[in-house]
Amino acid sequence: MQTRILGKDLRVSAVGLGCMGFSHAYGAPTEEKETIRLLRCAVEMGYTFFDTAEVYGTPEEPHVNERLVGEALAPYREKVVLSTKFGLRFDLASGKIPYPLLPDSRPATIRKSVEGSLRRLRTDHIDLYFQHRIDPQVPAEEVAGVMADLIREGKITHWGISEADEAYLRRAHAVCPVTAVQNRYSMMARQYETLFPTLEALGVGLVAFSPMANGFLTAQYSDPAQFDRRNDYRAAMPQFTREAMERNQQLLELLRATAERKRATPAQISLAWMLCKKPWIVPIPGTRRQERMQENAGAADVTLTPDEVAALDAALGRVPMSAVFGVERPADAQQEAGQRSL
């Protein structure tokens, strides 16, 4: 697979693998041996960038995703870039299942988190350590100071911020240079395009999570009843209602038509669209199927010209589009069922 540079010098595969879905939020967890097999298959396909977090897990084992990623990739450690996250903790005292997540980026908490992640990932350093969500109680400068200390100590080599805004990013970057932000970005969620000039000015990359709008832009879904309401968050996401699926037909037809012209799939077009926008954007789609991993990797080989990207942008501004999880639009009035912390 082609590679890209995040920040100053972090080389990663042009498409990364978001690992959350193996353990959390997209139905019953994948069996552990199958998870390990699939992660190792991804390496053989050319993936070198793997994203997880300390809070991706199950009620029985809240940190299981990091453990599985660490076990699967230990034989390939020198070939891969491991990304994980701190800054959210489980509210174990609430009595609720799944455990609610609370922002917590106090220095002592970060110190505890990094040691746990290093142990579970079976590594002596984390390649890219993201603040999972901004903690309004801890200044950006204080968080960045801890990151600078961890870099000096060799426990991490690069750091980033997830769901970053410009003001917080600039304050943090001034203390310890930020390698990447990890923000929600897709054809249906473009609010962070306003951040692009700042990212270019600072030399910060964008790791795009949910790059296919939680799978909607694969054009593979037609029946909202297929999602298990007990453990599949898509059952409550606004883009997967029957009404939304009808409203989004022009969007899906745009994808299908473009895919046919480029001899690609809708999923590949949704990824190629952002890959061809900026050389410092790296999407991290998640999947639990080997054939989808291969399909997503192939998006890096789909070339859209600047004119084709501009035409898609213009069309996206015209076609009807439903509400989408993770984006607040004035007309949405959607409640996101406490899932915003993902």
Side-chain angles (χ1 to χ4, degrees):
M1 195 191 302
Q2 300 172 29
T3 61
R4 295 193 161 197
I5 301 294
L6 293 173
K8 182 179 179 181
D9 61 4
L10 185 60
R11 184 174 295 277
V12 298
S13 51
V15 177
L17 182 62
C19 300
M20 180 183 76
F22 289 114
S23 310
H24 185 76
Y26 286 85
T30 305
E31 194 274 328
E32 290 195 1
K33 289 184 179 179
E34 177 66 1
T35 296
I36 291 168
R37 185 190 74 81
L38 288 168
L39 287 167
R40 290 176 176 173
C41 281
V43 177
E44 298 303 319
M45 292 177 190
Y47 286 89
T48 65
F49 185 32
F50 295 83
D51 181 81
T52 181
E54 65 174 338
V55 293
Y56 294 163
T58 65
E60 296 76 24
E61 190 176 351
H63 310 297
V64 65
N65 198 257
E66 279 189 329
R67 176 175 65 79
L68 292 173
V69 169
E71 181 177 350
L73 300 182
Y76 309 95
R77 183 63 187 96
E78 299 306 313
K79 298 180 179 180
V80 299
V81 171
L82 295 179
S83 163
T84 192
K85 307 178 192 74
F86 70 91
L88 288 177
R89 64 175 174 84
F90 294 109
D91 182 4
L92 302 178
S94 70
K96 297 179 181 179
I97 299 293
Y99 300 121
L101 291 167
L102 304 174
D104 186 351
S105 288
R106 293 173 295 174
T109 302
I110 297 172
R111 287 281 179 180
K112 182 178 179 181
S113 291
V114 75
E115 295 300 334
S117 292
L118 287 168
R119 182 179 65 254
R120 288 185 291 269
L121 290 170
R122 301 189 183 190
T123 186
D124 62 357
H125 71 280
I126 294 164
D127 300 296
L128 183 52
Y129 201 35
F130 280 108
Q131 183 180 18
H132 206 153
R133 290 294 183 270
I134 292 171
D135 183 346
Q137 304 303 316
V138 182
E141 294 81 2
E142 189 170 356
V143 174
V146 178
M147 295 299 105
D149 290 340
L150 293 177
I151 290 172
R152 282 192 292 269
E153 294 164 19
K155 293 183 178 180
I156 70 174
T157 59
H158 304 78
W159 85 289
I161 307 162
S162 186
E163 296 282 52
D165 59 42
E166 180 179 355
Y168 190 91
L169 172 61
R170 286 187 178 277
R171 288 168 55 196
H173 188 80
V175 174
C176 182
V178 174
T179 292
V181 300
Q182 184 175 142
N183 288 359
R184 185 184 303 276
Y185 184 52
S186 74
M187 286 180 163
M188 297 183 77
R190 300 175 62 188
Q191 68 272 29
Y192 284 114
E193 288 184 352
T194 59
L195 192 60
F196 283 9
T198 301
L199 297 178
E200 289 197 314
L202 298 180
V204 175
L206 170 63
V207 175
F209 77 86
S210 295
M212 292 184 283
N214 307 99
F216 184 84
L217 296 174
T218 63
Q220 295 291 316
Y221 299 100
S222 60
D223 184 2
Q226 69 191 93
F227 301 122
D228 182 354
R229 290 191 170 274
R230 293 173 298 176
N231 50 28
D232 194 325
Y233 287 9
R234 288 171 295 185
M237 291 183 181
Q239 68 266 39
F240 288 106
T241 66
R242 196 171 304 281
E243 295 77 15
M245 289 181 176
E246 293 175 0
R247 180 173 177 78
N248 291 324
Q249 282 308 303
Q250 288 186 46
L251 171 61
L252 296 181
E253 284 304 316
L254 172 66
L255 276 171
R256 292 188 183 105
T258 307
E260 184 175 355
R261 287 197 304 272
K262 304 300 288 189
R263 296 184 180 181
T265 67
Q268 289 173 332
I269 295 301
S270 69
L271 297 175
W273 165 79
M274 64 179 68
L275 286 166
C276 294
K277 272 180 175 283
K278 301 290 183 181
W280 38 261
I281 295 178
V282 177
I284 51 167
T287 183
R288 303 193 290 182
R289 295 171 59 182
Q290 187 171 335
E291 63 270 28
R292 294 299 179 212
M293 284 183 190
Q294 192 72 60
E295 178 183 355
N296 294 343
D301 298 320
V302 178
T303 300
L304 299 174
T305 68
D307 286 345
E308 287 173 325
V309 171
L312 282 171
D313 284 345
L316 291 172
R318 295 192 303 266
V319 299
M321 201 174 294
S322 76
V324 62
F325 177 67
V327 179
E328 294 183 2
R329 295 183 179 127
D332 286 354
Q334 297 290 336
Q335 297 298 318
E336 296 186 347
Q339 302 168 44
R340 194 184 304 270
S341 60
L342 294 176

